């Protein structure tokens, strides 16, 4: 998906949730309203959605609005969704497009931040791509909004020992600083790589995300476990691996924990918390360590036709590829050949930025 380096593609608690937070009183009080909204939506009785005509299209919508002629949408809400000990700030941003920019799960929107491009005076900023973090019916279940999961991009200047606001990410800061009612210029939707294949409702989907790379997976999981869509009944296995720094950095954790409680036979959820957990060798726990931990099972599922998805920062892939290569060799397989086969079978989906 050619996300810019600034773009970010990468949570909440009631009695059924497994308490993960060391300072849960903060999370409960700060995110109480949000938690209840999300948890009601995630109740086992699935939520009715509309308009079901969004299921009719045989092909995904693509580039309805171009970056040079974007659609003017309206910000509905901006919520910080990480705790106080998370490095950095991540926001859940809901944007109203009034049904004029339909999309499918796994697609992206382009955002054109206001102002002029400093490298091209008189021209607008370049478009930044963001993976959409909601289903086609949106958090409002009416198909009129879309949600983005945005981490505020900041630049830390080692010479002065603090952040340099003059070099902060233009688009992520615009979005995180926005107020309800503000206008935002949107292009798209774009992307086919991360579309959720729905031809087999019994398929296995292995999702590996770091940080805001969880965005498309949130959309998949809401479609699988939260929404009542007559034409899509998911009976397979969804397995999410999420890598973040610490418990306070977990994104949409209460939604995922609720699915675990309601659909234990269809959902698995593994967290890799690099600053809180150790891997088998005593080092920091990253998603590739979790993959290695379950490698036999993952390879077996891939051999049986499972789809595997990766979304997050580009830097996550070398470590993951090295791990998969090592595991394949230990099993007496060629990773290069296996990867070619996965790509040929359209089981391999990667979107990094």
């Amino acid at each position: 998906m050619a996300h810019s380096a600034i773009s970010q593609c990468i949570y909440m608690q009631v009695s059924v949730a497994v308490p993960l937070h060391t300072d849960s009183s903060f999370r409960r009080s700060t995110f109480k309203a949000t938690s209840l909204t999300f948890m009601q939506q995630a109740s086992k009785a699935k939520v009715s959605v509309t308009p079901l005509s969004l299921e009719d299209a045989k092909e995904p919508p693509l580039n309805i609005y171009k970056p040079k002629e974007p659609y003017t949408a309206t910000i509905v809400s901006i919520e910080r969704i990480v705790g106080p000990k998370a490095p950095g700030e991540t926001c859940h941003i809901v944007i109203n497009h009034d049904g004029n920019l339909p999309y499918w799960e796994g697609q992206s929107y382009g955002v054109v931040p206001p102002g002029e491009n400093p490298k091209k005076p008189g021209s607008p900023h370049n478009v930044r791509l963001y993976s959409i973090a909601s289903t086609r019916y949106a958090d409002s279940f009416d198909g009129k909004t879309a949600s983005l999961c945005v981490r505020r991009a900041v630049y830390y200047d080692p010479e002065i020992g603090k952040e340099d606001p003059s070099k902060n990410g233009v688009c992520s800061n615009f979005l995180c600083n926005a107020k309800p009612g503000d206008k935002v210029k949107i292009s798209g939707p774009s992307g086919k790589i991360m579309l959720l294949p729905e031809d087999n409702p019994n398929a296995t989907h292995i999702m590996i995300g770091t940080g805001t790379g969880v965005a498309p997976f949130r959309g998949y999981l809401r479609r699988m476990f939260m929404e009542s869509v007559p034409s899509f009944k998911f009976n397979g296995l969804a397995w999410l691996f999420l890598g973040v720094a610490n418990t306070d950095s977990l994104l949409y954790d209460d939604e995922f924990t609720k699915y675990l409680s309601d659909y234990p036979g269809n959902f698995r959820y593994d967290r890799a918390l690099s600053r809180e957990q150790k891997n088998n060798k005593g080092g920091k726990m990253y998603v590739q360590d979790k993959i290695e931990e379950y490698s036999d099972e993952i390879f077996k599922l891939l051999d049986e036709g499972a789809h595997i998805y990766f979304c997050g920062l580009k830097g996550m892939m070398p470590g993951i590829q090295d791990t998969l290569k090592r595991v394949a060799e230990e099993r007496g397989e060629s990773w290069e050949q296996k990867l070619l086969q996965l790509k040929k079978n359209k089981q391999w989906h990667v979107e990094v930025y």
Side-chain angles (χ1 to χ4, degrees):
M1 165 197 308
H3 283 68
S4 74
I6 297 167
S7 303
Q8 305 295 329
C9 165
I10 189 178
Y11 299 103
M12 304 172 247
Q13 181 163 348
V14 295
S15 57
V16 295
V18 179
L20 294 165
H21 198 273
T22 51
D23 185 10
S24 57
S25 59
F26 175 92
R27 287 287 280 282
R28 273 199 296 273
S29 61
T30 308
F31 303 117
K32 191 173 180 185
T34 311
S35 301
L36 291 174
T37 308
F38 277 119
M39 296 314 295
Q40 284 163 1
Q41 291 173 5
S43 64
K44 193 159 183 188
K46 291 192 173 183
V47 181
S48 295
V49 292
T50 184
L52 288 174
S53 57
L54 290 175
E55 302 295 321
D56 295 346
K58 297 288 180 275
E59 291 292 322
L62 284 170
N63 303 312
I64 300 170
Y65 284 86
K66 306 286 193 292
K68 288 185 178 174
E69 295 177 346
Y71 178 78
T72 301
T74 306
I75 300 277
V76 176
S77 61
I78 307 96
E79 292 178 76
R80 178 188 166 103
I81 50 172
V82 289
K85 295 175 187 171
E89 180 177 28
T90 302
C91 295
H92 182 78
I93 299 167
V94 179
I95 298 169
N96 181 13
H97 58 75
D98 248 346
N100 295 314
L101 255 175
Y103 56 87
W104 285 8
E105 299 72 24
Q107 288 192 299
S108 300
Y109 273 170
V111 177
V112 182
E116 65 174 42
N117 190 333
K119 293 179 182 172
K120 296 180 188 170
S123 299
H125 283 288
N126 293 335
V127 67
R128 271 73 165 180
L129 289 174
Y130 292 88
S131 295
I132 299 170
S134 48
T135 72
R136 65 193 72 183
Y137 298 102
D139 294 358
S140 47
F141 306 110
D142 61 3
K144 292 187 177 174
T145 68
S147 298
L148 304 181
C149 180
V150 179
R151 178 166 173 164
R152 187 189 290 276
V154 294
Y155 174 74
Y156 182 83
D157 188 333
E159 286 188 20
I160 61 172
K162 57 183 182 183
E163 288 173 12
D164 179 353
S166 69
K167 295 181 181 175
N168 285 349
V170 172
C171 198
S172 64
N173 282 271
F174 158 67
L175 289 169
C176 291
N177 291 337
K179 303 283 185 293
D182 285 356
K183 300 300 179 187
V184 56
K185 292 181 177 178
I186 304 285
S187 67
S190 63
K192 284 184 163 184
I193 294 166
M194 296 291 281
L195 294 177
L196 184 65
E198 296 186 355
D199 51 334
N200 177 9
N202 301 311
T204 294
H205 302 273
I206 302 167
M207 298 161 268
I208 296 153
T210 56
T212 54
V214 78
F217 307 143
R218 178 185 184 252
Y220 299 171
L221 294 168
R222 286 174 77 92
R223 186 162 172 83
M224 291 169 177
F225 300 126
M226 188 182 287
E227 298 177 343
S228 175
V229 181
S231 59
F232 179 60
K233 305 285 188 193
F234 180 69
N235 299 309
L237 171 66
W239 191 353
L240 174 64
F241 291 87
L242 176 58
V244 292
N246 56 18
T247 307
D248 268 29
S249 305
L250 284 166
L251 304 176
Y252 311 112
D253 190 67
D254 278 359
E255 277 187 52
F256 303 151
T257 306
K258 186 72 165 63
Y259 303 147
L260 209 51
S261 163
D262 286 348
Y263 300 96
N266 303 93
F267 182 52
R268 292 174 67 172
Y269 178 30
D270 282 276
R271 311 164 185 86
L273 308 177
S274 61
R275 297 188 186 180
E276 293 178 7
Q277 297 172 327
K278 300 288 184 199
N279 62 24
N280 293 336
K281 294 169 186 143
K284 289 183 176 182
M285 174 71 81
Y286 294 109
V287 280
Q288 59 262 35
D289 300 309
K290 282 287 177 187
I291 292 167
E292 189 163 21
E293 207 175 301
Y294 293 103
S295 56
D296 283 342
E297 208 172 342
I298 289 170
F299 272 66
K300 182 172 181 288
L301 291 168
L302 290 173
D303 289 342
E304 293 169 357
H307 289 270
I308 190 163
Y309 309 82
F310 303 88
C311 190
L313 293 171
K314 203 174 286 180
M316 73 189 262
M317 288 310 293
I320 289 170
Q321 290 267 29
D322 289 347
T323 297
L324 292 170
K325 187 174 193 295
R326 185 170 66 252
V327 169
E329 286 168 357
E330 285 167 4
R331 296 164 57 90
E333 298 182 57
S334 159
W335 174 242
E336 286 75 12
Q337 285 181 346
K338 193 171 195 71
L339 182 57
L340 278 175
Q341 195 61 46
L342 290 170
K343 288 178 177 177
K344 187 179 172 188
N345 296 346
K346 298 184 177 171
Q347 294 169 253
W348 183 264
H349 312 261
V350 179
E351 191 161 83
V352 291
Y353 45 90

